[in-house]
Amino acid sequence: MEPTGYPELDHLLGRLAAVATLADEALESERIALLGRKQGVLTALLKRVPELDPAERKSYGAAVNRLKQAFEAAFEARSGQEPKESQLAAVGLDLTMPGRRRWVGAEHPVTKAVADICEIFKSLGFAIAVGPEVEDEWLNFFALNFPENHPALDSHDTLFLSGPTEAAQGVGGAPGGRLLLRTHTSPVQIRTMLAGPPPYRVVIPGMVYRNDPFDPSHAPAFAQIEGLAVDEGIGLVDLKATLTHFVHRFFSPATKVRFRPSYFPFTEPSGELDVECQLCHGSGCPACKQTGWMEILGCGMVHPNVLVNAGVDAERYSGWAFGMGPGRVAMNRYGLPDIRYLYSGDMRLLRQLGGADR
Ligand code: DAH
């Protein structure tokens, strides 16, 4: 717009040009500041027109009107549109300046492993269950058939939160005992069974805690995934077939698995499952300590005492369970030699493995 010759109007021409560069809230507040019915600058100028000398009134009134229309057109042109680059250049904004980099997040390798593992079991008809990280002695140990003098209860392994005299609240009418940070996800087996009648098919991800030093193969807090399947007529063949199927889905259909006998108080018989080392494919390397195998989980047929403690008829129902270390699985997947890479919060790991960019 050409200058009007009235300085008080012409000094608004800069603001007229700038309308093209504003966005969102700044644009709207400028519109109100200029054209608003109450505080608008142009509205106020127009109101003064009738008070002017008749000689001045005509040409001044026309100039204010032209300016007002120019502003209206400028705001109209901007409605719903971003400023154009040429308009920005006109007021000295350079869009080719490098912007600030944003942080891009990434899933932690253990989170990713947990999600992938849960997804496979979900497709097999398992539900996801969770439980609290603070449990009592009964749920964490005794309901799971640990004897009273089991070394895992030792305060060297278990992080107790309350002393022996302080009785915690029991679940399902059973005595609670001391409160502790759960040492495994297995107490959620008991919680699941106490919550309703069989059958059960659940996987239970969560963090667990042990009074262990932070060294290449131990962490004081780490992730586990528990699995439980209880129904009529479930046998060892279901355990072996389901877990082998899982390994073939998670790793590859060609990955070798082996079951070794083991011992857990809450399963009988008990076993451990090894998968072929994903780094050397069985030939032996430092990550698998030259054995060619990586242990990923403990498993077994649920001990009848556990079913009874959780109120399930052990004559009628049977089941199998497993406890997996998704950290181990992630270490194997990515060839990590030290568990501390996973649990020490080092951003360099996420940058490399997760694709996080800073
Ligand atoms: N709770 C065991 C641990 O933390 C792992 C485990 C082994 C869980 C065998 C199970 C199982 O459910 O059947 O070492």
Side-chain angles (χ1 to χ4, degrees), residues 135-155:
E135 287 286 18
D136 62 38
E137 272 180 310
W138 186 76
L139 280 158
N140 197 79
F141 292 120
F142 304 133
L144 289 161
N145 202 37
F146 280 73
E148 297 242 348
N149 57 1
H150 194 282
L153 271 81
D154 198 312
S155 61

PDB file of all heavy atoms in Angstrom, residues 135-155:
ATOM      1  N   GLU A 135       6.248 -57.238  47.544  1.00  0.00           N
ATOM      2  CA  GLU A 135       5.441 -58.412  47.868  1.00  0.00           C
ATOM      3  C   GLU A 135       5.683 -58.769  49.332  1.00  0.00           C
ATOM      4  O   GLU A 135       6.512 -58.143  50.004  1.00  0.00           O
ATOM      5  CB  GLU A 135       5.870 -59.603  46.990  1.00  0.00           C
ATOM      6  CG  GLU A 135       5.422 -59.494  45.540  1.00  0.00           C
ATOM      7  CD  GLU A 135       3.922 -59.741  45.360  1.00  0.00           C
ATOM      8  OE1 GLU A 135       3.154 -59.662  46.330  1.00  0.00           O
ATOM      9  OE2 GLU A 135       3.522 -60.009  44.205  1.00  0.00           O
ATOM     10  N   ASP A 136       5.001 -59.804  49.803  1.00  0.00           N
ATOM     11  CA  ASP A 136       5.358 -60.308  51.128  1.00  0.00           C
ATOM     12  C   ASP A 136       5.996 -61.683  50.978  1.00  0.00           C
ATOM     13  O   ASP A 136       6.006 -62.264  49.895  1.00  0.00           O
ATOM     14  CB  ASP A 136       4.152 -60.281  52.078  1.00  0.00           C
ATOM     15  CG  ASP A 136       3.022 -61.174  51.599  1.00  0.00           C
ATOM     16  OD1 ASP A 136       3.311 -62.267  51.067  1.00  0.00           O
ATOM     17  OD2 ASP A 136       1.853 -60.789  51.756  1.00  0.00           O
ATOM     18  N   GLU A 137       6.522 -62.157  52.103  1.00  0.00           N
ATOM     19  CA  GLU A 137       7.269 -63.423  52.083  1.00  0.00           C
ATOM     20  C   GLU A 137       6.421 -64.600  51.617  1.00  0.00           C
ATOM     21  O   GLU A 137       6.913 -65.504  50.956  1.00  0.00           O
ATOM     22  CB  GLU A 137       7.726 -63.755  53.513  1.00  0.00           C
ATOM     23  CG  GLU A 137       9.021 -63.180  53.905  1.00  0.00           C
ATOM     24  CD  GLU A 137       9.374 -63.560  55.338  1.00  0.00           C
ATOM     25  OE1 GLU A 137       8.535 -63.382  56.246  1.00  0.00           O
ATOM     26  OE2 GLU A 137      10.493 -64.030  55.538  1.00  0.00           O
ATOM     27  N   TRP A 138       5.150 -64.534  51.969  1.00  0.00           N
ATOM     28  CA  TRP A 138       4.317 -65.679  51.600  1.00  0.00           C
ATOM     29  C   TRP A 138       4.179 -65.774  50.078  1.00  0.00           C
ATOM     30  O   TRP A 138       4.392 -66.824  49.485  1.00  0.00           O
ATOM     31  CB  TRP A 138       2.930 -65.570  52.269  1.00  0.00           C
ATOM     32  CG  TRP A 138       2.104 -66.806  52.017  1.00  0.00           C
ATOM     33  CD1 TRP A 138       2.248 -68.012  52.621  1.00  0.00           C
ATOM     34  CD2 TRP A 138       1.055 -66.945  51.055  1.00  0.00           C
ATOM     35  NE1 TRP A 138       1.357 -68.918  52.089  1.00  0.00           N
ATOM     36  CE2 TRP A 138       0.605 -68.286  51.124  1.00  0.00           C
ATOM     37  CE3 TRP A 138       0.449 -66.083  50.141  1.00  0.00           C
ATOM     38  CZ2 TRP A 138      -0.423 -68.776  50.329  1.00  0.00           C
ATOM     39  CZ3 TRP A 138      -0.580 -66.573  49.343  1.00  0.00           C
ATOM     40  CH2 TRP A 138      -0.999 -67.904  49.436  1.00  0.00           C
ATOM     41  N   LEU A 139       3.854 -64.661  49.448  1.00  0.00           N
ATOM     42  CA  LEU A 139       3.665 -64.688  47.989  1.00  0.00           C
ATOM     43  C   LEU A 139       4.983 -64.933  47.252  1.00  0.00           C
ATOM     44  O   LEU A 139       5.028 -65.662  46.269  1.00  0.00           O
ATOM     45  CB  LEU A 139       3.066 -63.357  47.515  1.00  0.00           C
ATOM     46  CG  LEU A 139       1.563 -63.247  47.725  1.00  0.00           C
ATOM     47  CD1 LEU A 139       1.130 -61.796  47.748  1.00  0.00           C
ATOM     48  CD2 LEU A 139       0.813 -64.008  46.633  1.00  0.00           C
ATOM     49  N   ASN A 140       6.056 -64.306  47.732  1.00  0.00           N
ATOM     50  CA  ASN A 140       7.325 -64.397  47.008  1.00  0.00           C
ATOM     51  C   ASN A 140       7.994 -65.762  47.204  1.00  0.00           C
ATOM     52  O   ASN A 140       8.702 -66.232  46.313  1.00  0.00           O
ATOM     53  CB  ASN A 140       8.275 -63.290  47.466  1.00  0.00           C
ATOM     54  CG  ASN A 140       9.430 -63.073  46.496  1.00  0.00           C
ATOM     55  OD1 ASN A 140       9.279 -62.435  45.454  1.00  0.00           O
ATOM     56  ND2 ASN A 140      10.592 -63.632  46.817  1.00  0.00           N
ATOM     57  N   PHE A 141       7.755 -66.366  48.371  1.00  0.00           N
ATOM     58  CA  PHE A 141       8.474 -67.616  48.671  1.00  0.00           C
ATOM     59  C   PHE A 141       7.562 -68.781  49.068  1.00  0.00           C
ATOM     60  O   PHE A 141       7.531 -69.802  48.389  1.00  0.00           O
ATOM     61  CB  PHE A 141       9.488 -67.387  49.814  1.00  0.00           C
ATOM     62  CG  PHE A 141      10.631 -66.483  49.433  1.00  0.00           C
ATOM     63  CD1 PHE A 141      10.855 -65.301  50.130  1.00  0.00           C
ATOM     64  CD2 PHE A 141      11.487 -66.814  48.393  1.00  0.00           C
ATOM     65  CE1 PHE A 141      11.914 -64.468  49.791  1.00  0.00           C
ATOM     66  CE2 PHE A 141      12.548 -65.984  48.043  1.00  0.00           C
ATOM     67  CZ  PHE A 141      12.767 -64.816  48.745  1.00  0.00           C
ATOM     68  N   PHE A 142       6.845 -68.641  50.193  1.00  0.00           N
ATOM     69  CA  PHE A 142       6.237 -69.833  50.800  1.00  0.00           C
ATOM     70  C   PHE A 142       5.109 -70.406  49.963  1.00  0.00           C
ATOM     71  O   PHE A 142       4.980 -71.628  49.841  1.00  0.00           O
ATOM     72  CB  PHE A 142       5.792 -69.535  52.239  1.00  0.00           C
ATOM     73  CG  PHE A 142       6.941 -69.035  53.078  1.00  0.00           C
ATOM     74  CD1 PHE A 142       6.810 -67.926  53.884  1.00  0.00           C
ATOM     75  CD2 PHE A 142       8.187 -69.680  53.009  1.00  0.00           C
ATOM     76  CE1 PHE A 142       7.893 -67.457  54.622  1.00  0.00           C
ATOM     77  CE2 PHE A 142       9.269 -69.215  53.742  1.00  0.00           C
ATOM     78  CZ  PHE A 142       9.130 -68.101  54.555  1.00  0.00           C
ATOM     79  N   ALA A 143       4.280 -69.552  49.347  1.00  0.00           N
ATOM     80  CA  ALA A 143       3.225 -70.081  48.482  1.00  0.00           C
ATOM     81  C   ALA A 143       3.838 -70.810  47.295  1.00  0.00           C
ATOM     82  O   ALA A 143       3.204 -71.692  46.699  1.00  0.00           O
ATOM     83  CB  ALA A 143       2.330 -68.943  47.996  1.00  0.00           C
ATOM     84  N   LEU A 144       5.076 -70.458  46.967  1.00  0.00           N
ATOM     85  CA  LEU A 144       5.766 -71.090  45.834  1.00  0.00           C
ATOM     86  C   LEU A 144       6.598 -72.293  46.286  1.00  0.00           C
ATOM     87  O   LEU A 144       7.513 -72.737  45.577  1.00  0.00           O
ATOM     88  CB  LEU A 144       6.656 -70.060  45.124  1.00  0.00           C
ATOM     89  CG  LEU A 144       5.872 -69.002  44.333  1.00  0.00           C
ATOM     90  CD1 LEU A 144       6.739 -67.772  44.050  1.00  0.00           C
ATOM     91  CD2 LEU A 144       5.341 -69.563  43.011  1.00  0.00           C
ATOM     92  N   ASN A 145       6.275 -72.780  47.488  1.00  0.00           N
ATOM     93  CA  ASN A 145       6.848 -74.037  47.953  1.00  0.00           C
ATOM     94  C   ASN A 145       8.331 -73.944  48.351  1.00  0.00           C
ATOM     95  O   ASN A 145       9.026 -74.953  48.364  1.00  0.00           O
ATOM     96  CB  ASN A 145       6.660 -75.117  46.865  1.00  0.00           C
ATOM     97  CG  ASN A 145       6.730 -76.531  47.427  1.00  0.00           C
ATOM     98  OD1 ASN A 145       6.249 -76.767  48.545  1.00  0.00           O
ATOM     99  ND2 ASN A 145       7.346 -77.452  46.688  1.00  0.00           N
ATOM    100  N   PHE A 146       8.798 -72.719  48.640  1.00  0.00           N
ATOM    101  CA  PHE A 146      10.161 -72.603  49.190  1.00  0.00           C
ATOM    102  C   PHE A 146      10.114 -73.080  50.649  1.00  0.00           C
ATOM    103  O   PHE A 146       9.198 -72.681  51.384  1.00  0.00           O
ATOM    104  CB  PHE A 146      10.621 -71.137  49.210  1.00  0.00           C
ATOM    105  CG  PHE A 146      11.125 -70.602  47.896  1.00  0.00           C
ATOM    106  CD1 PHE A 146      10.250 -70.322  46.856  1.00  0.00           C
ATOM    107  CD2 PHE A 146      12.478 -70.341  47.718  1.00  0.00           C
ATOM    108  CE1 PHE A 146      10.710 -69.791  45.658  1.00  0.00           C
ATOM    109  CE2 PHE A 146      12.946 -69.805  46.514  1.00  0.00           C
ATOM    110  CZ  PHE A 146      12.059 -69.544  45.483  1.00  0.00           C
ATOM    111  N   PRO A 147      11.070 -73.889  51.066  1.00  0.00           N
ATOM    112  CA  PRO A 147      11.112 -74.220  52.497  1.00  0.00           C
ATOM    113  C   PRO A 147      11.514 -72.992  53.321  1.00  0.00           C
ATOM    114  O   PRO A 147      12.164 -72.087  52.799  1.00  0.00           O
ATOM    115  CB  PRO A 147      12.179 -75.315  52.582  1.00  0.00           C
ATOM    116  CG  PRO A 147      12.982 -75.194  51.332  1.00  0.00           C
ATOM    117  CD  PRO A 147      12.115 -74.541  50.291  1.00  0.00           C
ATOM    118  N   GLU A 148      11.122 -72.987  54.609  1.00  0.00           N
ATOM    119  CA  GLU A 148      11.366 -71.815  55.468  1.00  0.00           C
ATOM    120  C   GLU A 148      12.838 -71.427  55.544  1.00  0.00           C
ATOM    121  O   GLU A 148      13.168 -70.272  55.742  1.00  0.00           O
ATOM    122  CB  GLU A 148      10.855 -72.097  56.889  1.00  0.00           C
ATOM    123  CG  GLU A 148       9.365 -72.325  56.941  1.00  0.00           C
ATOM    124  CD  GLU A 148       8.647 -71.292  57.792  1.00  0.00           C
ATOM    125  OE1 GLU A 148       9.339 -70.541  58.509  1.00  0.00           O
ATOM    126  OE2 GLU A 148       7.402 -71.238  57.718  1.00  0.00           O
ATOM    127  N   ASN A 149      13.707 -72.428  55.408  1.00  0.00           N
ATOM    128  CA  ASN A 149      15.135 -72.129  55.577  1.00  0.00           C
ATOM    129  C   ASN A 149      15.875 -71.998  54.237  1.00  0.00           C
ATOM    130  O   ASN A 149      17.078 -72.164  54.172  1.00  0.00           O
ATOM    131  CB  ASN A 149      15.796 -73.235  56.424  1.00  0.00           C
ATOM    132  CG  ASN A 149      15.587 -74.609  55.792  1.00  0.00           C
ATOM    133  OD1 ASN A 149      14.965 -74.717  54.725  1.00  0.00           O
ATOM    134  ND2 ASN A 149      16.101 -75.651  56.430  1.00  0.00           N
ATOM    135  N   HIS A 150      15.128 -71.715  53.183  1.00  0.00           N
ATOM    136  CA  HIS A 150      15.774 -71.636  51.861  1.00  0.00           C
ATOM    137  C   HIS A 150      16.769 -70.469  51.815  1.00  0.00           C
ATOM    138  O   HIS A 150      16.457 -69.366  52.293  1.00  0.00           O
ATOM    139  CB  HIS A 150      14.707 -71.444  50.776  1.00  0.00           C
ATOM    140  CG  HIS A 150      15.216 -71.681  49.386  1.00  0.00           C
ATOM    141  ND1 HIS A 150      15.955 -70.748  48.718  1.00  0.00           N
ATOM    142  CD2 HIS A 150      15.107 -72.753  48.561  1.00  0.00           C
ATOM    143  CE1 HIS A 150      16.283 -71.225  47.521  1.00  0.00           C
ATOM    144  NE2 HIS A 150      15.770 -72.448  47.400  1.00  0.00           N
ATOM    145  N   PRO A 151      17.955 -70.688  51.245  1.00  0.00           N
ATOM    146  CA  PRO A 151      18.962 -69.609  51.254  1.00  0.00           C
ATOM    147  C   PRO A 151      18.531 -68.333  50.509  1.00  0.00           C
ATOM    148  O   PRO A 151      19.048 -67.251  50.800  1.00  0.00           O
ATOM    149  CB  PRO A 151      20.189 -70.239  50.575  1.00  0.00           C
ATOM    150  CG  PRO A 151      19.741 -71.540  50.023  1.00  0.00           C
ATOM    151  CD  PRO A 151      18.481 -71.940  50.703  1.00  0.00           C
ATOM    152  N   ALA A 152      17.571 -68.446  49.583  1.00  0.00           N
ATOM    153  CA  ALA A 152      17.135 -67.242  48.859  1.00  0.00           C
ATOM    154  C   ALA A 152      16.496 -66.222  49.799  1.00  0.00           C
ATOM    155  O   ALA A 152      16.429 -65.036  49.490  1.00  0.00           O
ATOM    156  CB  ALA A 152      16.159 -67.603  47.752  1.00  0.00           C
ATOM    157  N   LEU A 153      16.003 -66.706  50.960  1.00  0.00           N
ATOM    158  CA  LEU A 153      15.400 -65.775  51.911  1.00  0.00           C
ATOM    159  C   LEU A 153      16.450 -64.955  52.638  1.00  0.00           C
ATOM    160  O   LEU A 153      16.148 -63.941  53.257  1.00  0.00           O
ATOM    161  CB  LEU A 153      14.585 -66.539  52.966  1.00  0.00           C
ATOM    162  CG  LEU A 153      13.133 -66.795  52.617  1.00  0.00           C
ATOM    163  CD1 LEU A 153      12.995 -67.990  51.716  1.00  0.00           C
ATOM    164  CD2 LEU A 153      12.319 -66.961  53.883  1.00  0.00           C
ATOM    165  N   ASP A 154      17.669 -65.424  52.579  1.00  0.00           N
ATOM    166  CA  ASP A 154      18.761 -64.756  53.259  1.00  0.00           C
ATOM    167  C   ASP A 154      18.811 -63.294  52.840  1.00  0.00           C
ATOM    168  O   ASP A 154      18.635 -62.965  51.674  1.00  0.00           O
ATOM    169  CB  ASP A 154      20.064 -65.464  52.834  1.00  0.00           C
ATOM    170  CG  ASP A 154      21.180 -65.167  53.781  1.00  0.00           C
ATOM    171  OD1 ASP A 154      21.353 -63.982  54.098  1.00  0.00           O
ATOM    172  OD2 ASP A 154      21.868 -66.122  54.191  1.00  0.00           O
ATOM    173  N   SER A 155      19.067 -62.429  53.815  1.00  0.00           N
ATOM    174  CA  SER A 155      19.075 -61.000  53.470  1.00  0.00           C
ATOM    175  C   SER A 155      20.214 -60.654  52.515  1.00  0.00           C
ATOM    176  O   SER A 155      20.264 -59.564  51.969  1.00  0.00           O
ATOM    177  CB  SER A 155      19.149 -60.149  54.724  1.00  0.00           C
ATOM    178  OG  SER A 155      20.333 -60.453  55.403  1.00  0.00           O
TER     179      SER A 155
END
